[in-house]
Amino acid sequence: MSDTALSSLPITAFEDVAALSARRSARWRPGLVAVQGPALHNEVFALSREAAGAGVALALALDDWRHVPRECGCEAEDRRGVLWVQTREAARLGGRPCRAGLPADLQGRVIHVLAEKVEDALFALEEGLRCRDLAFVIGEIPGNAKALDFTASRRLTLASERHGVPLFLVRLDAARDLSSARMRWEATSAPSAPPRWNAQAPGDPAWHAELFRARSHAPGEWLLGEDGKTLRAGRAGGETDRAVANWAAGLQHRRAPRRA
């Protein structure tokens, strides 16, 4: 853009860009939902052979669920159920949710739906998002199904935001495509920390998660792990973080052009 064109823009345009960059530079972190509210439609891309997708989706859902402020008049404890929708192919690739492997406060409240086709799974997901008696919805769909196009994604986003029920959709073995999801992650398994008391025991689950698209946050990478009921996040990808920080700082310090 030429200097003449820049000078024709109102100063408020630059102020808006600076404010937007400041908001986006606020990094995602566990528990942020208590301050900013939930991002109601999330996608997690993962390989089926690692089982990282369902793990990260459940960890993010539980983190939001445990930190979201309770509205006045609500019970102190959230007793609502959880809907878990899979296609039969997704269950074959990654397995079904096992009650014994779920967190104690979720055991006995998961409603599992096994759909034959992606279209059926999308219908079940949308119907679940319309039900305020559900705490959140998890879906697992393999590949880049034609039925899950941008229009279908938009329908899920609108249903989730209209009724306030969060959706965490796992995309197994899928390539990044068009979507209206507010936060989009790519997750892989990461080495667990050595157990403190028994070196032969498996460690706590750990994942490498990249937030590559978000409406309210800058992109970034984290090493996620769970310790009991707490989601921990360590920083990864320092070079990417520095590049984004420099980009945001440059916008904030950009001087408005002089008026003629």
Side-chain angles (χ1 to χ4, degrees):
M1 183 177 290
S2 65
D3 293 342
T4 303
L6 283 173
S7 63
S8 65
L9 292 174
I11 294 179
T12 53
F14 295 93
E15 293 175 345
D16 291 344
V17 171
L20 176 62
S21 69
R23 287 198 300 271
R24 283 180 56 83
S25 63
R27 292 290 189 180
W28 172 88
R29 65 180 184 275
L32 191 61
V33 65
V35 180
Q36 295 189 354
L40 291 169
H41 184 183
N42 299 261
E43 283 188 345
V44 180
F45 288 77
L47 297 176
S48 60
R49 66 173 182 268
E50 295 186 351
V56 170
L58 185 58
L60 294 174
L62 290 174
D63 181 66
D64 284 1
W65 181 52
R66 289 165 178 159
H67 289 91
V68 68
R70 303 284 293 158
E71 297 180 358
C72 295
C74 295
E75 296 183 23
E77 181 182 357
D78 190 346
R79 302 175 185 273
R80 294 179 296 172
V82 172
L83 179 65
W84 196 310
V85 179
Q86 293 179 300
T87 64
R88 190 171 294 278
E89 177 64 10
R92 186 188 69 81
L93 292 171
R96 303 186 186 191
C98 175
R99 175 178 296 184
L102 294 172
D105 48 2
L106 278 191
Q107 295 180 5
R109 66 168 68 189
V110 172
I111 304 168
H112 182 237
V113 173
L114 190 63
E116 291 292 336
K117 300 183 297 184
V118 173
E119 290 84 350
D120 299 334
L122 293 174
F123 175 78
L125 289 171
E126 188 172 343
E127 290 300 307
L129 295 175
R130 296 176 187 275
C131 180
R132 297 177 186 271
D133 290 332
L134 294 175
F136 56 85
V137 176
I138 291 180
E140 293 185 63
I141 292 180
N144 294 85
K146 186 177 180 180
L148 184 53
D149 57 8
F150 186 81
T151 301
S153 175
R154 183 64 177 163
R155 287 178 62 90
L156 294 175
T157 300
L158 291 176
S160 178
E161 295 183 345
R162 180 172 300 169
H163 301 280
V165 180
L167 169 64
F168 296 84
L169 182 60
V170 181
R171 307 287 304 275
L172 292 171
D173 300 332
R176 301 176 183 181
D177 53 7
L178 290 177
S179 172
S180 65
R182 302 312 187 198
M183 296 181 72
R184 308 189 80 193
W185 299 82
E186 184 157 337
T188 57
S189 297
S192 301
R196 182 177 180 182
W197 304 112
N198 184 0
Q200 302 302 317
D204 295 326
W207 310 279
H208 178 277
E210 177 191 1
L211 179 63
F212 64 89
R213 179 185 179 277
R215 190 176 189 180
S216 303
H217 304 286
E221 300 178 28
W222 288 267
L223 290 175
L224 302 180
E226 278 196 324
D227 183 9
K229 293 186 175 182
T230 304
L231 177 63
R232 294 175 283 103
R235 301 298 294 275
E239 293 182 358
T240 302
D241 292 346
R242 284 193 294 273
V244 173
N246 292 337
W247 169 79
L251 286 178
Q252 291 176 8
H253 292 87
R254 185 174 184 174
R255 297 179 60 183
R258 294 181 179 178
R259 292 182 179 277

